[in-house]
Amino acid sequence: QVQLEESGGGLVQAGGSLRLSCEVSGRTFSTTAMAWFRQYSGQEREFVAAITWSGGTSFYADSVKGRFTISRDNAKNTMYLQMNSLKPEDTAVYYCSGNNYGYSRSPGTYGYWGQGIQVTVSS
């Protein structure tokens, strides 16, 4: 069993920065890929960024490329999402996720999820 816990969300002005953290506990060796998704009210979860746990290869949605950076610290079992140049349209609940299969942009392929954390960007 793998448990994920997000932290670092909050309220920031447009153009500002936030760093989200996702602490992984439990059977961490079974986690192959990790990702961040976000969900707007009443909509499906959308892919934001992903990283392979062992190789550190990263992938981004076009909407965040160049502004967000995903990273991981294996020693701390923690994944991060550094969000710069935030826009009001980045306002959403952000979810940390993991799977045993590898990189994917589909939320249905991720079996492990955090509880979600609110990010609000004011204009």
Side-chain angles (χ1 to χ4, degrees):
Q1 194 72 359
V2 175
Q3 292 84 41
L4 309 178
E5 183 172 3
E6 303 97 340
S7 61
L11 173 65
V12 65
Q13 288 189 330
S17 299
L18 280 175
R19 189 176 80 157
L20 303 183
S21 298
C22 175
E23 184 174 354
V24 184
S25 59
R27 295 167 57 94
T28 57
F29 61 84
S30 68
T31 303
T32 302
M34 300 286 294
W36 290 97
F37 288 81
R38 63 188 179 188
Q39 189 169 22
Y40 303 108
S41 179
Q43 296 188 30
E44 300 285 323
R45 291 182 188 180
E46 109 180 348
F47 172 78
V48 175
I51 190 167
T52 57
W53 197 247
S54 58
T57 305
S58 56
F59 309 87
Y60 296 93
D62 288 344
S63 59
V64 306
K65 199 173 294 183
R67 299 188 299 121
F68 291 11
T69 302
I70 190 171
S71 63
R72 85 278 185 262
D73 184 332
N74 289 349
K76 295 182 179 179
N77 286 330
T78 302
M79 176 178 68
Y80 304 98
L81 185 68
Q82 178 66 44
M83 304 185 294
N84 299 329
S85 302
L86 282 161
K87 304 175 181 180
E89 52 264 43
D90 293 318
T91 296
V93 177
Y94 284 71
Y95 292 89
C96 166
S97 62
N99 72 23
N100 301 329
Y101 310 109
Y103 162 64
S104 170
R105 295 185 177 227
S106 172
T109 62
Y110 289 83
Y112 310 122
W113 291 91
Q115 78 284 358
I117 193 163
Q118 179 70 43
V119 170
T120 302
V121 184
S122 63
S123 57

